[in-house]
């Protein structure tokens, strides 16, 4: 029994019956098959004997570990500190009660409180109760008084008796000492007077004695009682404590689970006392669960998949997290190894996202992680799929107990909901509930929401916001409740239930509070029953498994459903027609209207217009469109925002799982590809990667089946893989995937230059053919062909950008061919949107490749195309996209005034079109342009809009860029919009965010900016921390403004580090300088690096040259930077360049430049806005790069 029931005292039924102890001393435990024992019969755990409980377990059960901090309970500790302060300065009692279910960490919280409560002028007494305690009258007070009198340390009853005699001789006549015999297990002689007393009178004598002892004690020192598991306090002890807090100033701290029955009158009186603070403990936040995992496993990193599994599965309950970890360890799902350096690891598709979630700097000092090279990390064992693992028996038991406590109808509802999934809609639940009416379902749901089985949400946005943070602890005001009459309370309960029912009706999205409940309830179904319900769910969901109405109800992979038979429901012609209409597919008449027409001369843009006049007409056109949009015509402005993310979460994701359960692998693959595409649209590369891996598993199974032959699905799979690789900056891997996709689409992309030249010639002829024809001779391609063409456009569009990242000259030919094929394939689709996007891509390529005459021509072509579109539906979105894309191009080119003009119009259009994903992107670029122009008032307005958008939408991208701009303002503009501490806190709190972590441009910028700040302050330890983090992201090259903006900051940080090396006369400083100079030149040489970054890169190059003593080269780069910044209108960089020139070229000693002093005195924006600080004065707050290391080379 010791082997099979470790850590507890167990016995068989013979010992149980022979002990003659009360039944509450034991608890029956589950039977286990024991070797050599045929039938053990019932097995019981012994909960404790009287003597042991009295004096051997007086303290809290677990001990505080100095190296294991209390995680995620700062708010609860603040409650204690506040009440403690009130207790110490007043002369009245205080009670602090923490309520939570088992597993929330109440005992650990009390241990920390007991440690914090210790002091010279007060005494803490901490005890933990067990189930035995509840059945023994006056037991809690008995334990507390034993501690007050110091009896808990005595080894023998004689020692206790002697101590008692000394303590009570002045308070109690000797003949009454025998009253203490039973309660403290001593043997005073029994007097005649005591033998004649009734039990009630003895109890009153004892209570009076204890009150006197405590009165005497509190005169000498403050007394703090700490009681764990206070729901097990016996009735007599509650009465005494209630009297105690009214009589003597004492501080009682309790933790308790919710009462299973109505608490006694004395307990209720304590809870409603005006000096009682009653706290309901909330769950621990995800970041603290993550920290707990680090501490429990003693590792510095865990994989993202494990992090998501534990955060979701534990629901913020520490005990759940511990049980899940034990379960994983039991199944050998975890492996531990030394951390490999990222530079030494060859990147493949399988290890691309093995980017570990790392230990925070605060926790590193508490873990024995050793040197950086010997850090131990945790990973998942090969072949482990966390979602397929069974549940720990302990957690399953908790869920089963909850299910058993429900009514039969509620159990049925929970079980049906479990098959739908973790998140579901009330419509689908009603569809599968057998013989239920809507009123019955709403009532049952309201009860289950009240019981914390379900949560309900009005929209997908509310659900996403709620999932980001667990419910925190809150104070319950029992006093206000107890002041109500019984009738009033009953009325209030009915009102609350009615309000809850109304809320459930409004909130059509329901989610299980705990995933473990969903999994447990799911396992209760029989296999055939599961299949039948899965089929019902799949048939219901597939009707809405497409983009939202705002996005014209199409597929996430364009025209995808035309290539695969994915329907479970049988269709007639009427149903097919309705589906086509609901998916936004055009009728023949509409198709004719939308056919591409390429007029030779546009009325709006005649050939004789000068570039300046053309730009003016473009802006006037966008102003005209904006004026029409403001008229609020329903045909132009959508009635609601994009709902695609909500559809993805509550329709398509569950549908894919239902199809998997039904064994419909080909249909499930279709939806996994749709899911991956949707996540890429939303910017979530990690989730796209996860579902592409799910798709790959199915693809391998299907490829073994001879009947399955879906080349398009395979091509889509590789195309999406290529997009993920592209977004992650793995360009070589992206090329491989995109080439595979194109090959499957019978559109091979050449590998050698001879083939490239031949193919380029053919594409030029093809393009001439499309341009010269007045109108398409053929009807639009059939839908299957359109699906292939759209996929080809997507592949070519990414392919030409992958070649732009390299600075090798021959890559330009590959890039040119890919962009030509993008444009020609787009024209073959006869789709306005595709053609316009292709024109703008060709314009961007032409500018980056140095074809100055071509980029403006194709911008005008794009504008001519949109002037022929009807201003409604997709047409208006195309116009907004063109304004948006043109503002992006102008910012890349360094045409800042035009970028601002176009960006402002695009910002207004996306705001009216209610598209937050597009809106945030244009705001980010607009704020960058305004910063470079030093237009601070407009900049702050735009940043205010960006902040509001990030808060209302829960958008991590926009919030991250907001803080990027706040850091830029401090570093380069010389004032404070948000403090450095706030920016740093955001980075620390969100660097492991699933979306942000795998969007390297933003994180690269954030890390590099913080490194620059510390480098300027010469805080090199912190500089290295953030510079090293930025270094791991710098190798992931993506041709975007965000990446190159981050890279320019990273290079600035490296120049500061070089300056330090030069000052210290390091032997490696010259080699570092040469390497840095090479890196800067390579960045400029890359075609994807926009000219807007050249002034900063030339500025840094000039500084490296002057550090190396190359004055002539410094002069050359400095002049080039000044010239460029003036031509671009880059006021920010121009001002800094002129200050650097004055600083470096001056023959006399300038005043000492103390950045540390400047950083402390940076004025907040409020002072500038109110006029208390002159905006010209902040120009003096620029950081000047020092050159006094060597003799002045000039």
């Amino acid at each position: 029994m010791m082997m099979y029931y470790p850590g507890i005292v167990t016995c068989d039924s013979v010992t149980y019956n022979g002990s003659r102890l009360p039944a509450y001393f034991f608890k029956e435990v589950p039977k286990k098959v024991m070797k050599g024992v045929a039938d053990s019969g019932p097995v019981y755990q012994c909960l404790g004997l009287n003597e042991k409980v009295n004096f051997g377990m007086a303290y809290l059960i677990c001990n505080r570990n100095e190296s294991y901090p209390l995680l995620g309970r700062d708010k609860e500790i603040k409650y204690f500190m506040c009440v403690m302060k009130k207790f110490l300065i007043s002369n009245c009692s205080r009670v602090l009660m923490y309520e939570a279910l088992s597993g929330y960490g109440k005992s650990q919280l009390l241990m920390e409180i007991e440690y914090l409560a210790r002091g010279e002028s007060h005494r803490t007494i901490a005890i933990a109760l067990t189930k035995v305690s509840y059945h023994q009258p006056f037991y809690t007070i008995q334990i507390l008084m034993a501690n007050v009198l110091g009896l808990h340390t005595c080894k023998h009853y004689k020692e206790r008796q002697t101590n008692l005699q000394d303590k009570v001789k002045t308070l109690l006549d000797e003949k009454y000492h025998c009253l203490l015999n039973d309660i403290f297990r001593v043997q005073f002689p029994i007097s005649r007077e005591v033998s004649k007393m009734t039990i009630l009178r003895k109890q009153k004598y004892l209570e009076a004695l204890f009150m006197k002892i405590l009165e005497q004690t509190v005169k000498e020192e403050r007394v703090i009682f700490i009681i764990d598991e206070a729901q097990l306090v016996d009735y007599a002890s509650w009465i005494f404590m209630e009297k105690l807090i009214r009589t003597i100033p004492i501080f009682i701290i309790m933790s308790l689970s919710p009462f299973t029955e109505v608490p006694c009158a004395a307990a209720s009186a304590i809870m409603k006392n005006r000096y009682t603070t009653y706290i309901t403990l909330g769950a621990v936040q995800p970041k603290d669960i993550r920290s707990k995992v680090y501490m429990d496993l003693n590792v510095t990193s865990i994989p993202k998949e494990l992090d998501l599994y534990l955060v979701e599965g534990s629901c913020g309950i520490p005990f759940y997290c511990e049980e899940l970890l034990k379960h994983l360890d039991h199944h050998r799902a975890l492996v531990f190894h030394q951390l490999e350096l990222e530079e030494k690891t060859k990147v493949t598709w399988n290890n691309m996202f093995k980017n570990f979630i790392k230990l925070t700097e605060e926790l590193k000092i508490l873990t024995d992680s050793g040197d950086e090279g010997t850090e131990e990390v945790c990973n998942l064992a090969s072949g482990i799929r966390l979602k397929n693992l069974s549940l720990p028996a302990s957690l399953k038991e908790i869920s089963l107990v909850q299910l058993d406590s429900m009514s039969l109808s509620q159990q049925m509802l929970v079980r049906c909901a479990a098959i739908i999934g973790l998140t579901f809609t009330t419509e689908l639940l009603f569809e599968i509930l057998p013989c239920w009416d809507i009123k019955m379902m709403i009532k049952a749901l309201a009860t289950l929401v009240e019981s914390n089985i379900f949560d309900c949400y009005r929209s997908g946005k509310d659900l996403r916001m709620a999932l980001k943070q667990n419910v925190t602890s809150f104070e319950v005001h029992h006093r206000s409740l107890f002041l109500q009459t019984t009738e009033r309370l009953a009325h209030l309960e009915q009102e609350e239930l009615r309000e809850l029912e109304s809320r459930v009706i409004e909130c059509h999205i329901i989610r299980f509070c705990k995933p473990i409940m969903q999994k447990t309830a799911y396992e209760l179904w029989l296999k055939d029953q599961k299949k039948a319900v899965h089929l019902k769910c799949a048939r219901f969901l597939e009707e809405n498994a497409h983009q939202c109405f705002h996005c014209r109800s199409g597929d996430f992979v364009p025209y995808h459903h035309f290539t695969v038979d994915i329907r479970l429901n049988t269709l007639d012609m009427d149903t097919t027609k309705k589906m086509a209409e609901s998916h936004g597919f055009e009728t023949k008449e509409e198709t004719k209207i939308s056919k591409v027409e390429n007029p030779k001369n546009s009325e709006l843009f005649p050939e004789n217009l000068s570039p300046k006049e053309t730009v003016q007409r473009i802006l006037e056109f966008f102003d005209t469109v904006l004026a029409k949009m403001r008229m609020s015509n329903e045909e132009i402005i959508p009635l609601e925002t994009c709902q695609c993310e909500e559809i993805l979460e509550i329709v398509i994701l569950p549908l894919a799982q239902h199809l998997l359960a039904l064994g419909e692998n080909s249909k499930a693959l279709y939806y996994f590809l749709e899911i991956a595409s949707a996540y890429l649209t939303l910017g979530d590369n990690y989730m796209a990667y996860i579902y592409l891996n799910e798709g790959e598993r199915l693809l391998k199974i299907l490829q073994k089946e001879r009947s399955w032959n879906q080349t398009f699905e395979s091509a889509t799979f590789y195309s999406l893989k290529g997009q993920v690789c592209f977004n992650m900056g793995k360009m070589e891997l992206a090329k491989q995937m995109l080439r595979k996709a194109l090959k499957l689409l019978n559109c091979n992309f050449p590998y050698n230059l001879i083939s490239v030249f031949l193919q380029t010639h053919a594409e030029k002829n093809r393009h001439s053919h499309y341009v010269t024809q007045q109108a398409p001779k053929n009807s639009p391609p059939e839908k299957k062909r359109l699906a292939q063409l759209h996929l080809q456009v997507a592949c070519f569009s990414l392919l030409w950008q992958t070649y732009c990242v390299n600075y090798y000259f021959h890559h330009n030919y590959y890039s040119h061919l890919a962009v030509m094929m993008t444009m020609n394939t787009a024209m073959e689709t006869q789709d306005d949107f595709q053609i316009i996007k292709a024109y703008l891509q060709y314009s961007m390529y032409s500018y980056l490749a140095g074809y100055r005459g071509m980029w403006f021509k194709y911008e005008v072509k794009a504008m001519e195309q949109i002037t022929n579109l009807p201003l409604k539906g997709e047409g208006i979105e195309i116009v907004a996209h063109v304004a948006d894309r043109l503002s992006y191009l102008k910012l890349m080119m360094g045409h800042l005034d035009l970028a601002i003009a176009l960006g402002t119009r695009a910002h207004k259009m996306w705001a009216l079109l209610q598209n937050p994903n597009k809106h945030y992107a244009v705001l980010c670029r607009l704020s960058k342009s305004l910063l470079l122009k030093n237009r601070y008032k407009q900049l702050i307005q735009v940043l205010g809009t960006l902040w509001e958008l990030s808060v209302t939408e829960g958008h991590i991208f926009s919030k991250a860029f907001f803080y990027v701009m706040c850091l830029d303002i401090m570093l380069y503009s010389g004032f404070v919009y948000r403090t450095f501490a706030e920016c740093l806190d955001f980075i620390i709190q969100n660097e492991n965010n699933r979306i942000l972590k795998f969007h390297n441009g933003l994180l690269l910028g954030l890390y590099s900016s913080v490194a620059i700040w510390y480098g300027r302050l010469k805080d090199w330890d912190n500089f290295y921390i953030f510079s090293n983090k930025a270094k791991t992201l710098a190798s992931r090259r993506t041709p975007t403004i965000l990446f190159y903006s981050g890279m320019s900051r990273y290079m600035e940080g490296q120049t500061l580090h070089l300056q330090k090396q030069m000052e210290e006369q390091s032997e490696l400083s010259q080699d570092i300088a040469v390497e840095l100079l090479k890196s800067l030149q390579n960045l400029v040489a890359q075609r994807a690096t926009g000219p807007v970054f050249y002034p900063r890169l030339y500025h840094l190059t000039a500084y490296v040259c002057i550090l190396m003593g190359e004055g002539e080269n410094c002069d050359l780069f400095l002049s080039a930077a000044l010239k460029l910044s003036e031509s671009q209108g880059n006021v920010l960089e121009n001002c800094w360049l002129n200050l650097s020139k004055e600083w470096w070229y001056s023959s006399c000693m300038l005043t000492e430049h103390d950045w540390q002093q400047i950083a402390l005195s940076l004025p907040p924006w409020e002072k500038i806005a109110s006029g208390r600080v002159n905006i010209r004065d902040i120009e003096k707050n620029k950081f000047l790069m020092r050159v006094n290391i060597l003799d002045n080379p000039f």
Side-chain angles (χ1 to χ4, degrees), residues 778 821 947 1037 1039:
N778 303 320
M821 294 178 86
W947 176 258
R1037 296 177 297 169

Side-chain angles (χ1 to χ4, degrees), residues 50-51 54-55 142 157 160-161 164 174-191 194 206:
N50 200 43
E51 185 76 16
N54 257 321
F55 303 109
Q142 171 187 343
Y157 85 91
R160 289 200 297 275
Q161 192 163 310
L164 270 174
E174 192 172 345
K175 62 186 176 183
Y176 294 114
H177 284 188
C178 58
L179 286 170
L180 304 171
N181 284 357
D182 290 338
I183 200 163
F184 292 129
R185 299 294 181 268
V186 288
Q187 295 181 9
F188 288 111
I190 299 173
S191 64
V194 171
L206 279 175

Side-chain angles (χ1 to χ4, degrees), residues 411-421 429 432-434 525 533:
Q411 285 182 28
M412 175 54 72
L413 189 147
V414 171
R415 289 176 64 189
C416 287
I419 287 197
I420 302 174
L429 180 64
I432 65 169
L433 281 171
W525 287 90
V533 182

Side-chain angles (χ1 to χ4, degrees), residues 914-1114:
Q914 301 184 68
N915 193 323
N917 288 325
K918 300 285 187 182
H919 193 192
Y920 101 86
V922 76
L923 285 172
C924 294
R925 294 193 288 272
L926 181 57
S927 60
K928 183 71 179 174
S929 303
L930 290 168
L931 178 72
L932 295 176
K933 291 293 292 184
N934 280 5
R935 296 187 188 176
Y936 295 131
K937 286 185 180 178
Q938 283 178 269
L939 171 63
I940 299 303
Q941 287 174 357
V942 170
L943 287 179
T945 307
L946 189 62
W947 176 258
E948 287 173 16
L949 187 69
S950 72
V951 172
T952 54
E953 296 295 329
H955 211 267
I956 191 68
F957 284 145
S958 46
K959 193 169 280 190
F961 193 86
F962 174 85
Y963 283 109
V964 167
M965 293 305 300
C966 291
L967 286 165
D968 274 1
I969 287 168
M970 280 186 283
L971 290 168
Y972 307 115
S973 296
F975 65 91
V976 176
Y977 184 51
R978 294 292 173 90
T979 63
F980 177 78
E982 184 182 336
C983 297
L984 184 61
D985 184 61
F986 170 81
I987 295 169
I988 291 168
Q989 296 295 329
N990 294 280
E991 63 183 341
N992 285 322
N993 178 278
R994 187 184 75 214
I995 295 176
L996 194 58
K997 187 172 181 66
F998 302 113
H999 192 284
N1000 53 307
L1002 276 171
L1003 267 186
L1004 176 62
L1006 287 166
Y1007 286 149
S1008 299
S1009 295
V1010 174
I1012 291 169
W1013 180 269
Y1014 283 126
R1016 290 182 180 184
L1017 294 174
K1018 299 185 179 179
D1019 182 352
W1020 297 109
D1021 289 339
N1022 279 317
F1023 170 85
Y1024 289 132
I1025 289 169
F1026 288 94
S1027 182
N1028 288 337
K1029 287 181 177 182
K1031 186 180 178 181
T1032 61
L1033 299 172
S1035 61
R1036 301 180 190 169
R1037 296 177 297 169
T1038 47
T1040 60
I1041 281 182
L1042 280 174
F1043 174 75
Y1044 287 106
S1045 180
M1047 273 304 295
S1048 66
R1049 291 187 193 85
Y1050 174 70
M1051 299 312 292
E1052 184 180 338
Q1054 296 311 297
T1055 58
L1056 290 173
H1057 184 246
L1058 173 64
Q1059 193 260 350
K1060 171 186 179 285
Q1061 296 287 320
M1062 292 280 194
E1063 270 189 348
E1064 294 173 353
Q1065 298 182 353
S1066 168
E1067 293 178 1
L1068 299 173
S1069 59
Q1070 199 68 16
D1071 293 337
I1072 293 170
V1074 170
E1075 192 65 34
L1076 185 56
L1077 206 57
K1078 187 180 176 183
S1079 299
L1080 285 163
Q1081 288 169 352
N1082 286 345
L1083 261 179
V1084 174
Q1086 288 177 23
R1087 286 181 299 281
T1089 308
V1092 72
F1093 300 108
Y1094 291 171
R1096 174 65 53 84
L1097 295 173
Y1098 284 149
H1099 191 176
L1100 296 174
T1101 307
Y1103 183 54
V1104 175
C1105 288
I1106 199 173
L1107 290 178
M1108 295 174 71
E1110 299 176 2
E1112 192 175 331
N1113 285 335
C1114 173

Side-chain angles (χ1 to χ4, degrees), residues 638-651:
L639 297 174
E640 59 179 15
T641 60
C642 176
Q643 304 295 316
C644 285
E645 191 167 359
E646 184 174 316
I647 289 170
L648 172 65
E649 289 167 351
I650 66 173
V651 177

